[in-house]
Amino acid sequence: MPTTSGFSHSIIETPRLAMNVWVSGPDDGTPVLLIHGNLTTGGFWTYVAAELPDDIRVIAPDMRGFGLTEDAPIDATRGLGDMSDDVHGLLEALGLAGRGAVHAVGWSMGGGILQQLLLEHPDDLASLTLVAPVSPYGFGGTVDAQGTLAFPDAASSGGGGAAPEFVRRLREKDTSEEDPNSSPRVILRSFYGAGANAANVDEDFLLAEALTTRVGDDFYPGDSAASDNWPTTAPGNRGVLNTMSPKHFNTSAIATSTAGIPITWIHGTEDLVCSDRSMFDFGTLGELGAVPGWPGADMLPPQPMKAQLRAVLDGYASQPGQADLVREVELEGIAHGLPLEVPARIAEEILALVHR
């Protein structure tokens, strides 16, 4: 269990599946929904929850495929639709759906889940905070701010992008630091970790949560398809990584949405996961020579993830009456693990929207 007082979890039956939900605060408090990213759980929000005042009702579910939530397979053909529908179902079970009262916060993949929720169930939301989110054009396989595909089959994205040795060690719940390039502990620390705040988080707890990730074609990383295009793998239709392939995921319609919901985007300058030079993007890896045969920047440059989101949010802000609804917060020297590295700052930005 985490060390944060008052943050506990239990199973809630929803119309779609049984979800493990981490909570704190009073049932009649202002609802703040916290949605985690890939390879993490609702428990990762413990440090942000500790920074929120006593009148906030924190709701942080484990998404399907993670934590203690029911083992329901992930259909990637609707992007992150399975998970956004799960969130809506949870809000229905809690009596919060359609009331426009929920301040929703999504980190990494969780930001993509909430982008999809914004398009499909905007009446659920009072505000939206995107914390180092996946691009509106998904992860991998696109070349410019407009989300143009590098290859028609979306090669270089999806389930085939996961390192097999990392997947094996994740399946075996390996907690060691041996062979650090494939160690779940080291990768978690290096790319999803607390950075300078590491002394104030419980790494063993966070690793134990990460190792609850289900492994397989229906979960992480998902299936894949052979491709004639570099690097010879294209997305499949099942599992986590395929939900974020541009073949299936595209929330760029946010640019024309008139939902009228305030949106804050928080990101760090040292992010190596959801950035314009992601170390998990084949464009970046090819450029660095880490994956041989790269076809070059003319065909597959590093995906401009931040530029893509900025363009979509600029479109949202250009809609009538929405000019002052978008705020971008860039944190100097901060990496991808913002809920762990700067939890107080994340809480501050959430409360700014709660009290807007």
mmCIF file of all heavy atoms in Angstrom, residues 79-129:
data_model
loop_
_atom_site.group_PDB
_atom_site.id
_atom_site.type_symbol
_atom_site.label_atom_id
_atom_site.label_comp_id
_atom_site.label_asym_id
_atom_site.label_seq_id
_atom_site.Cartn_x
_atom_site.Cartn_y
_atom_site.Cartn_z
ATOM 1 N N GLY A 79 -9.853 2.823 -31.172
ATOM 2 C CA GLY A 79 -8.867 3.603 -30.442
ATOM 3 C C GLY A 79 -8.953 3.271 -28.959
ATOM 4 O O GLY A 79 -8.965 2.103 -28.570
ATOM 5 N N LEU A 80 -9.028 4.288 -28.142
ATOM 6 C CA LEU A 80 -9.150 4.102 -26.695
ATOM 7 C C LEU A 80 -10.617 4.087 -26.258
ATOM 8 O O LEU A 80 -10.939 4.343 -25.109
ATOM 9 C CB LEU A 80 -8.376 5.208 -25.962
ATOM 10 C CG LEU A 80 -6.848 5.047 -26.035
ATOM 11 C CD1 LEU A 80 -6.145 6.368 -25.721
ATOM 12 C CD2 LEU A 80 -6.365 3.944 -25.104
ATOM 13 N N GLY A 81 -11.507 3.728 -27.198
ATOM 14 C CA GLY A 81 -12.944 3.745 -26.928
ATOM 15 C C GLY A 81 -13.382 2.794 -25.839
ATOM 16 O O GLY A 81 -14.281 3.114 -25.059
ATOM 17 N N ASP A 82 -12.776 1.590 -25.775
ATOM 18 C CA ASP A 82 -13.121 0.684 -24.685
ATOM 19 C C ASP A 82 -12.896 1.368 -23.342
ATOM 20 O O ASP A 82 -13.734 1.282 -22.433
ATOM 21 C CB ASP A 82 -12.264 -0.589 -24.753
ATOM 22 C CG ASP A 82 -12.983 -1.754 -25.423
ATOM 23 O OD1 ASP A 82 -14.193 -1.623 -25.709
ATOM 24 O OD2 ASP A 82 -12.342 -2.789 -25.657
ATOM 25 N N MET A 83 -11.774 2.039 -23.209
ATOM 26 C CA MET A 83 -11.432 2.639 -21.925
ATOM 27 C C MET A 83 -12.226 3.909 -21.649
ATOM 28 O O MET A 83 -12.640 4.152 -20.509
ATOM 29 C CB MET A 83 -9.930 2.898 -21.860
ATOM 30 C CG MET A 83 -9.102 1.627 -21.919
ATOM 31 S SD MET A 83 -7.375 1.909 -21.486
ATOM 32 C CE MET A 83 -6.641 0.398 -22.095
ATOM 33 N N SER A 84 -12.483 4.714 -22.676
ATOM 34 C CA SER A 84 -13.299 5.906 -22.436
ATOM 35 C C SER A 84 -14.732 5.505 -22.082
ATOM 36 O O SER A 84 -15.373 6.132 -21.224
ATOM 37 C CB SER A 84 -13.269 6.852 -23.640
ATOM 38 O OG SER A 84 -13.880 6.280 -24.771
ATOM 39 N N ASP A 85 -15.233 4.440 -22.707
ATOM 40 C CA ASP A 85 -16.556 3.934 -22.333
ATOM 41 C C ASP A 85 -16.552 3.388 -20.906
ATOM 42 O O ASP A 85 -17.547 3.520 -20.175
ATOM 43 C CB ASP A 85 -17.003 2.841 -23.299
ATOM 44 C CG ASP A 85 -17.483 3.391 -24.630
ATOM 45 O OD1 ASP A 85 -17.599 4.623 -24.763
ATOM 46 O OD2 ASP A 85 -17.727 2.578 -25.539
ATOM 47 N N ASP A 86 -15.439 2.758 -20.503
ATOM 48 C CA ASP A 86 -15.335 2.284 -19.119
ATOM 49 C C ASP A 86 -15.400 3.447 -18.138
ATOM 50 O O ASP A 86 -16.035 3.354 -17.080
ATOM 51 C CB ASP A 86 -14.022 1.523 -18.910
ATOM 52 C CG ASP A 86 -13.972 0.195 -19.660
ATOM 53 O OD1 ASP A 86 -15.024 -0.292 -20.096
ATOM 54 O OD2 ASP A 86 -12.857 -0.347 -19.792
ATOM 55 N N VAL A 87 -14.724 4.537 -18.469
ATOM 56 C CA VAL A 87 -14.765 5.722 -17.602
ATOM 57 C C VAL A 87 -16.184 6.261 -17.507
ATOM 58 O O VAL A 87 -16.677 6.575 -16.417
ATOM 59 C CB VAL A 87 -13.794 6.802 -18.116
ATOM 60 C CG1 VAL A 87 -13.999 8.105 -17.370
ATOM 61 C CG2 VAL A 87 -12.348 6.339 -17.969
ATOM 62 N N HIS A 88 -16.849 6.368 -18.648
ATOM 63 C CA HIS A 88 -18.240 6.850 -18.633
ATOM 64 C C HIS A 88 -19.123 5.922 -17.813
ATOM 65 O O HIS A 88 -19.975 6.378 -17.038
ATOM 66 C CB HIS A 88 -18.758 6.962 -20.063
ATOM 67 C CG HIS A 88 -20.181 7.417 -20.163
ATOM 68 N ND1 HIS A 88 -20.588 8.689 -19.816
ATOM 69 C CD2 HIS A 88 -21.302 6.745 -20.558
ATOM 70 C CE1 HIS A 88 -21.897 8.797 -20.001
ATOM 71 N NE2 HIS A 88 -22.353 7.633 -20.445
ATOM 72 N N GLY A 89 -18.913 4.593 -17.963
ATOM 73 C CA GLY A 89 -19.684 3.638 -17.170
ATOM 74 C C GLY A 89 -19.436 3.787 -15.688
ATOM 75 O O GLY A 89 -20.354 3.659 -14.865
ATOM 76 N N LEU A 90 -18.190 4.058 -15.300
ATOM 77 C CA LEU A 90 -17.887 4.293 -13.890
ATOM 78 C C LEU A 90 -18.616 5.535 -13.387
ATOM 79 O O LEU A 90 -19.196 5.525 -12.279
ATOM 80 C CB LEU A 90 -16.383 4.456 -13.707
ATOM 81 C CG LEU A 90 -15.912 4.869 -12.306
ATOM 82 C CD1 LEU A 90 -16.288 3.821 -11.266
ATOM 83 C CD2 LEU A 90 -14.412 5.132 -12.303
ATOM 84 N N LEU A 91 -18.613 6.587 -14.195
ATOM 85 C CA LEU A 91 -19.316 7.808 -13.783
ATOM 86 C C LEU A 91 -20.817 7.554 -13.671
ATOM 87 O O LEU A 91 -21.482 8.109 -12.779
ATOM 88 C CB LEU A 91 -19.021 8.939 -14.768
ATOM 89 C CG LEU A 91 -17.561 9.399 -14.825
ATOM 90 C CD1 LEU A 91 -17.395 10.514 -15.853
ATOM 91 C CD2 LEU A 91 -17.073 9.859 -13.452
ATOM 92 N N GLU A 92 -21.359 6.699 -14.542
ATOM 93 C CA GLU A 92 -22.773 6.312 -14.405
ATOM 94 C C GLU A 92 -22.997 5.604 -13.082
ATOM 95 O O GLU A 92 -23.973 5.908 -12.354
ATOM 96 C CB GLU A 92 -23.184 5.399 -15.559
ATOM 97 C CG GLU A 92 -23.375 6.099 -16.889
ATOM 98 C CD GLU A 92 -23.848 5.141 -17.967
ATOM 99 O OE1 GLU A 92 -23.378 3.985 -18.007
ATOM 100 O OE2 GLU A 92 -24.711 5.550 -18.766
ATOM 101 N N ALA A 93 -22.129 4.672 -12.747
ATOM 102 C CA ALA A 93 -22.284 3.916 -11.503
ATOM 103 C C ALA A 93 -22.197 4.823 -10.275
ATOM 104 O O ALA A 93 -22.834 4.550 -9.253
ATOM 105 C CB ALA A 93 -21.213 2.826 -11.428
ATOM 106 N N LEU A 94 -21.435 5.898 -10.385
ATOM 107 C CA LEU A 94 -21.266 6.830 -9.267
ATOM 108 C C LEU A 94 -22.289 7.967 -9.276
ATOM 109 O O LEU A 94 -22.253 8.846 -8.408
ATOM 110 C CB LEU A 94 -19.850 7.414 -9.300
ATOM 111 C CG LEU A 94 -18.706 6.416 -9.104
ATOM 112 C CD1 LEU A 94 -17.358 7.109 -9.284
ATOM 113 C CD2 LEU A 94 -18.788 5.753 -7.725
ATOM 114 N N GLY A 95 -23.175 7.969 -10.264
ATOM 115 C CA GLY A 95 -24.182 9.023 -10.357
ATOM 116 C C GLY A 95 -23.634 10.350 -10.837
ATOM 117 O O GLY A 95 -24.234 11.403 -10.587
ATOM 118 N N LEU A 96 -22.508 10.325 -11.563
ATOM 119 C CA LEU A 96 -21.856 11.563 -11.989
ATOM 120 C C LEU A 96 -21.922 11.791 -13.501
ATOM 121 O O LEU A 96 -21.549 12.869 -13.972
ATOM 122 C CB LEU A 96 -20.386 11.556 -11.557
ATOM 123 C CG LEU A 96 -20.128 11.578 -10.051
ATOM 124 C CD1 LEU A 96 -18.654 11.326 -9.763
ATOM 125 C CD2 LEU A 96 -20.573 12.913 -9.448
ATOM 126 N N ALA A 97 -22.388 10.826 -14.256
ATOM 127 C CA ALA A 97 -22.415 10.961 -15.714
ATOM 128 C C ALA A 97 -23.426 12.015 -16.140
ATOM 129 O O ALA A 97 -24.513 12.136 -15.572
ATOM 130 C CB ALA A 97 -22.742 9.624 -16.367
ATOM 131 N N GLY A 98 -23.052 12.795 -17.160
ATOM 132 C CA GLY A 98 -23.973 13.753 -17.767
ATOM 133 C C GLY A 98 -24.278 14.974 -16.945
ATOM 134 O O GLY A 98 -25.130 15.777 -17.337
ATOM 135 N N ARG A 99 -23.583 15.176 -15.852
ATOM 136 C CA ARG A 99 -23.877 16.314 -14.972
ATOM 137 C C ARG A 99 -22.924 17.485 -15.166
ATOM 138 O O ARG A 99 -23.112 18.534 -14.568
ATOM 139 C CB ARG A 99 -23.824 15.853 -13.508
ATOM 140 C CG ARG A 99 -24.932 14.889 -13.132
ATOM 141 C CD ARG A 99 -24.751 14.343 -11.728
ATOM 142 N NE ARG A 99 -24.476 15.398 -10.763
ATOM 143 C CZ ARG A 99 -24.092 15.191 -9.502
ATOM 144 N NH1 ARG A 99 -23.919 13.935 -9.074
ATOM 145 N NH2 ARG A 99 -23.870 16.179 -8.686
ATOM 146 N N GLY A 100 -21.899 17.297 -15.977
ATOM 147 C CA GLY A 100 -20.948 18.370 -16.216
ATOM 148 C C GLY A 100 -20.218 18.813 -14.970
ATOM 149 O O GLY A 100 -19.825 19.977 -14.851
ATOM 150 N N ALA A 101 -19.996 17.859 -14.046
ATOM 151 C CA ALA A 101 -19.441 18.223 -12.744
ATOM 152 C C ALA A 101 -18.052 17.672 -12.494
ATOM 153 O O ALA A 101 -17.421 18.031 -11.498
ATOM 154 C CB ALA A 101 -20.379 17.718 -11.641
ATOM 155 N N VAL A 102 -17.555 16.827 -13.389
ATOM 156 C CA VAL A 102 -16.314 16.100 -13.122
ATOM 157 C C VAL A 102 -15.111 16.844 -13.708
ATOM 158 O O VAL A 102 -15.078 17.154 -14.908
ATOM 159 C CB VAL A 102 -16.380 14.677 -13.704
ATOM 160 C CG1 VAL A 102 -15.038 13.969 -13.556
ATOM 161 C CG2 VAL A 102 -17.493 13.880 -13.030
ATOM 162 N N HIS A 103 -14.127 17.112 -12.862
ATOM 163 C CA HIS A 103 -12.859 17.681 -13.307
ATOM 164 C C HIS A 103 -11.926 16.512 -13.595
ATOM 165 O O HIS A 103 -11.462 15.833 -12.681
ATOM 166 C CB HIS A 103 -12.293 18.611 -12.243
ATOM 167 C CG HIS A 103 -13.169 19.790 -11.973
ATOM 168 N ND1 HIS A 103 -13.111 20.950 -12.716
ATOM 169 C CD2 HIS A 103 -14.171 19.966 -11.065
ATOM 170 C CE1 HIS A 103 -14.019 21.807 -12.267
ATOM 171 N NE2 HIS A 103 -14.676 21.233 -11.270
ATOM 172 N N ALA A 104 -11.675 16.255 -14.871
ATOM 173 C CA ALA A 104 -10.956 15.047 -15.289
ATOM 174 C C ALA A 104 -9.510 15.365 -15.630
ATOM 175 O O ALA A 104 -9.210 16.385 -16.265
ATOM 176 C CB ALA A 104 -11.650 14.415 -16.495
ATOM 177 N N VAL A 105 -8.630 14.468 -15.205
ATOM 178 C CA VAL A 105 -7.190 14.631 -15.401
ATOM 179 C C VAL A 105 -6.650 13.339 -15.986
ATOM 180 O O VAL A 105 -6.876 12.260 -15.440
ATOM 181 C CB VAL A 105 -6.482 14.931 -14.058
ATOM 182 C CG1 VAL A 105 -5.001 15.245 -14.294
ATOM 183 C CG2 VAL A 105 -7.183 16.059 -13.308
ATOM 184 N N GLY A 106 -5.933 13.418 -17.110
ATOM 185 C CA GLY A 106 -5.394 12.228 -17.735
ATOM 186 C C GLY A 106 -3.913 12.362 -18.007
ATOM 187 O O GLY A 106 -3.461 13.363 -18.568
ATOM 188 N N TRP A 107 -3.164 11.353 -17.596
ATOM 189 C CA TRP A 107 -1.708 11.331 -17.776
ATOM 190 C C TRP A 107 -1.359 10.346 -18.878
ATOM 191 O O TRP A 107 -1.811 9.201 -18.864
ATOM 192 C CB TRP A 107 -1.065 10.917 -16.450
ATOM 193 C CG TRP A 107 0.417 10.677 -16.464
ATOM 194 C CD1 TRP A 107 1.354 11.312 -17.224
ATOM 195 C CD2 TRP A 107 1.127 9.724 -15.661
ATOM 196 N NE1 TRP A 107 2.610 10.829 -16.941
ATOM 197 C CE2 TRP A 107 2.505 9.844 -15.985
ATOM 198 C CE3 TRP A 107 0.739 8.789 -14.698
ATOM 199 C CZ2 TRP A 107 3.485 9.063 -15.382
ATOM 200 C CZ3 TRP A 107 1.717 8.014 -14.092
ATOM 201 C CH2 TRP A 107 3.073 8.156 -14.430
ATOM 202 N N SER A 108 -0.570 10.792 -19.863
ATOM 203 C CA SER A 108 -0.038 9.925 -20.914
ATOM 204 C C SER A 108 -1.196 9.250 -21.665
ATOM 205 O O SER A 108 -2.049 9.947 -22.222
ATOM 206 C CB SER A 108 0.920 8.915 -20.272
ATOM 207 O OG SER A 108 1.749 8.306 -21.229
ATOM 208 N N MET A 109 -1.278 7.930 -21.685
ATOM 209 C CA MET A 109 -2.415 7.248 -22.306
ATOM 210 C C MET A 109 -3.730 7.749 -21.726
ATOM 211 O O MET A 109 -4.740 7.870 -22.442
ATOM 212 C CB MET A 109 -2.292 5.746 -22.121
ATOM 213 C CG MET A 109 -3.438 4.919 -22.696
ATOM 214 S SD MET A 109 -3.350 3.171 -22.239
ATOM 215 C CE MET A 109 -3.883 3.249 -20.505
ATOM 216 N N GLY A 110 -3.743 8.040 -20.428
ATOM 217 C CA GLY A 110 -4.958 8.550 -19.794
ATOM 218 C C GLY A 110 -5.436 9.842 -20.409
ATOM 219 O O GLY A 110 -6.645 10.114 -20.462
ATOM 220 N N GLY A 111 -4.483 10.661 -20.892
ATOM 221 C CA GLY A 111 -4.880 11.874 -21.601
ATOM 222 C C GLY A 111 -5.596 11.559 -22.895
ATOM 223 O O GLY A 111 -6.528 12.258 -23.295
ATOM 224 N N GLY A 112 -5.188 10.476 -23.576
ATOM 225 C CA GLY A 112 -5.888 10.049 -24.784
ATOM 226 C C GLY A 112 -7.272 9.521 -24.485
ATOM 227 O O GLY A 112 -8.228 9.769 -25.227
ATOM 228 N N ILE A 113 -7.402 8.772 -23.381
ATOM 229 C CA ILE A 113 -8.720 8.281 -22.968
ATOM 230 C C ILE A 113 -9.672 9.443 -22.765
ATOM 231 O O ILE A 113 -10.830 9.414 -23.210
ATOM 232 C CB ILE A 113 -8.587 7.451 -21.674
ATOM 233 C CG1 ILE A 113 -7.795 6.168 -21.941
ATOM 234 C CG2 ILE A 113 -9.962 7.116 -21.097
ATOM 235 C CD1 ILE A 113 -7.376 5.426 -20.683
ATOM 236 N N LEU A 114 -9.197 10.492 -22.115
ATOM 237 C CA LEU A 114 -10.074 11.634 -21.838
ATOM 238 C C LEU A 114 -10.305 12.505 -23.064
ATOM 239 O O LEU A 114 -11.350 13.155 -23.176
ATOM 240 C CB LEU A 114 -9.506 12.451 -20.680
ATOM 241 C CG LEU A 114 -9.520 11.730 -19.332
ATOM 242 C CD1 LEU A 114 -8.944 12.624 -18.241
ATOM 243 C CD2 LEU A 114 -10.941 11.281 -18.951
ATOM 244 N N GLN A 115 -9.369 12.526 -23.994
ATOM 245 C CA GLN A 115 -9.647 13.194 -25.267
ATOM 246 C C GLN A 115 -10.829 12.529 -25.951
ATOM 247 O O GLN A 115 -11.723 13.205 -26.494
ATOM 248 C CB GLN A 115 -8.417 13.145 -26.168
ATOM 249 C CG GLN A 115 -7.251 14.008 -25.730
ATOM 250 C CD GLN A 115 -6.012 13.723 -26.548
ATOM 251 O OE1 GLN A 115 -6.064 13.625 -27.780
ATOM 252 N NE2 GLN A 115 -4.871 13.566 -25.888
ATOM 253 N N GLN A 116 -10.848 11.203 -25.931
ATOM 254 C CA GLN A 116 -11.954 10.479 -26.552
ATOM 255 C C GLN A 116 -13.253 10.697 -25.765
ATOM 256 O O GLN A 116 -14.325 10.847 -26.354
ATOM 257 C CB GLN A 116 -11.605 8.988 -26.667
ATOM 258 C CG GLN A 116 -12.405 8.276 -27.727
ATOM 259 C CD GLN A 116 -11.656 7.136 -28.402
ATOM 260 O OE1 GLN A 116 -10.437 7.010 -28.334
ATOM 261 N NE2 GLN A 116 -12.404 6.294 -29.088
ATOM 262 N N LEU A 117 -13.149 10.736 -24.437
ATOM 263 C CA LEU A 117 -14.333 11.015 -23.621
ATOM 264 C C LEU A 117 -14.887 12.405 -23.922
ATOM 265 O O LEU A 117 -16.109 12.598 -23.984
ATOM 266 C CB LEU A 117 -13.992 10.895 -22.136
ATOM 267 C CG LEU A 117 -15.178 10.967 -21.172
ATOM 268 C CD1 LEU A 117 -16.007 9.689 -21.224
ATOM 269 C CD2 LEU A 117 -14.706 11.225 -19.737
ATOM 270 N N LEU A 118 -14.005 13.370 -24.116
ATOM 271 C CA LEU A 118 -14.447 14.732 -24.454
ATOM 272 C C LEU A 118 -15.267 14.740 -25.739
ATOM 273 O O LEU A 118 -16.280 15.449 -25.836
ATOM 274 C CB LEU A 118 -13.224 15.642 -24.592
ATOM 275 C CG LEU A 118 -13.487 17.065 -25.119
ATOM 276 C CD1 LEU A 118 -14.377 17.851 -24.176
ATOM 277 C CD2 LEU A 118 -12.174 17.797 -25.359
ATOM 278 N N LEU A 119 -14.849 13.948 -26.722
ATOM 279 C CA LEU A 119 -15.584 13.911 -27.984
ATOM 280 C C LEU A 119 -16.902 13.164 -27.867
ATOM 281 O O LEU A 119 -17.891 13.536 -28.509
ATOM 282 C CB LEU A 119 -14.719 13.255 -29.067
ATOM 283 C CG LEU A 119 -13.506 14.060 -29.543
ATOM 284 C CD1 LEU A 119 -12.682 13.226 -30.516
ATOM 285 C CD2 LEU A 119 -13.947 15.367 -30.189
ATOM 286 N N GLU A 120 -16.935 12.107 -27.045
ATOM 287 C CA GLU A 120 -18.107 11.229 -27.007
ATOM 288 C C GLU A 120 -19.063 11.524 -25.862
ATOM 289 O O GLU A 120 -20.270 11.273 -25.977
ATOM 290 C CB GLU A 120 -17.629 9.776 -26.947
ATOM 291 C CG GLU A 120 -16.865 9.367 -28.207
ATOM 292 C CD GLU A 120 -16.197 8.012 -28.109
ATOM 293 O OE1 GLU A 120 -16.373 7.334 -27.073
ATOM 294 O OE2 GLU A 120 -15.497 7.629 -29.064
ATOM 295 N N HIS A 121 -18.564 12.062 -24.758
ATOM 296 C CA HIS A 121 -19.412 12.354 -23.594
ATOM 297 C C HIS A 121 -19.013 13.688 -22.954
ATOM 298 O O HIS A 121 -18.681 13.747 -21.766
ATOM 299 C CB HIS A 121 -19.305 11.232 -22.560
ATOM 300 C CG HIS A 121 -19.758 9.893 -23.048
ATOM 301 N ND1 HIS A 121 -21.087 9.587 -23.247
ATOM 302 C CD2 HIS A 121 -19.048 8.788 -23.402
ATOM 303 C CE1 HIS A 121 -21.184 8.345 -23.685
ATOM 304 N NE2 HIS A 121 -19.971 7.845 -23.796
ATOM 305 N N PRO A 122 -19.053 14.776 -23.713
ATOM 306 C CA PRO A 122 -18.611 16.061 -23.156
ATOM 307 C C PRO A 122 -19.435 16.508 -21.956
ATOM 308 O O PRO A 122 -18.921 17.251 -21.099
ATOM 309 C CB PRO A 122 -18.763 17.028 -24.337
ATOM 310 C CG PRO A 122 -19.771 16.379 -25.236
ATOM 311 C CD PRO A 122 -19.529 14.910 -25.095
ATOM 312 N N ASP A 123 -20.678 16.054 -21.872
ATOM 313 C CA ASP A 123 -21.532 16.469 -20.754
ATOM 314 C C ASP A 123 -21.090 15.872 -19.421
ATOM 315 O O ASP A 123 -21.600 16.266 -18.370
ATOM 316 C CB ASP A 123 -22.991 16.084 -21.025
ATOM 317 C CG ASP A 123 -23.611 16.890 -22.154
ATOM 318 O OD1 ASP A 123 -23.017 17.918 -22.534
ATOM 319 O OD2 ASP A 123 -24.677 16.487 -22.661
ATOM 320 N N ASP A 124 -20.154 14.933 -19.444
ATOM 321 C CA ASP A 124 -19.628 14.393 -18.186
ATOM 322 C C ASP A 124 -18.679 15.372 -17.507
ATOM 323 O O ASP A 124 -18.451 15.277 -16.294
ATOM 324 C CB ASP A 124 -18.851 13.089 -18.437
ATOM 325 C CG ASP A 124 -19.748 11.912 -18.788
ATOM 326 O OD1 ASP A 124 -20.982 12.033 -18.654
ATOM 327 O OD2 ASP A 124 -19.203 10.862 -19.191
ATOM 328 N N LEU A 125 -18.116 16.304 -18.276
ATOM 329 C CA LEU A 125 -16.933 17.032 -17.829
ATOM 330 C C LEU A 125 -17.208 18.479 -17.442
ATOM 331 O O LEU A 125 -17.968 19.184 -18.106
ATOM 332 C CB LEU A 125 -15.875 17.003 -18.934
ATOM 333 C CG LEU A 125 -15.428 15.608 -19.393
ATOM 334 C CD1 LEU A 125 -14.482 15.715 -20.576
ATOM 335 C CD2 LEU A 125 -14.796 14.853 -18.242
ATOM 336 N N ALA A 126 -16.511 18.901 -16.369
ATOM 337 C CA ALA A 126 -16.470 20.312 -16.006
ATOM 338 C C ALA A 126 -15.178 20.941 -16.501
ATOM 339 O O ALA A 126 -15.145 22.142 -16.826
ATOM 340 C CB ALA A 126 -16.582 20.479 -14.489
ATOM 341 N N SER A 127 -14.089 20.174 -16.522
ATOM 342 C CA SER A 127 -12.809 20.645 -17.038
ATOM 343 C C SER A 127 -11.963 19.440 -17.405
ATOM 344 O O SER A 127 -12.272 18.302 -17.039
ATOM 345 C CB SER A 127 -12.079 21.516 -16.004
ATOM 346 O OG SER A 127 -11.574 20.726 -14.938
ATOM 347 N N LEU A 128 -10.881 19.711 -18.127
ATOM 348 C CA LEU A 128 -9.984 18.650 -18.573
ATOM 349 C C LEU A 128 -8.545 19.116 -18.394
ATOM 350 O O LEU A 128 -8.170 20.203 -18.857
ATOM 351 C CB LEU A 128 -10.251 18.334 -20.048
ATOM 352 C CG LEU A 128 -9.395 17.264 -20.725
ATOM 353 C CD1 LEU A 128 -9.502 15.945 -19.995
ATOM 354 C CD2 LEU A 128 -9.815 17.109 -22.188
ATOM 355 N N THR A 129 -7.744 18.298 -17.711
ATOM 356 C CA THR A 129 -6.318 18.554 -17.565
ATOM 357 C C THR A 129 -5.567 17.410 -18.227
ATOM 358 O O THR A 129 -5.747 16.250 -17.857
ATOM 359 C CB THR A 129 -5.908 18.656 -16.086
ATOM 360 O OG1 THR A 129 -6.667 19.690 -15.451
ATOM 361 C CG2 THR A 129 -4.426 18.987 -15.956
#
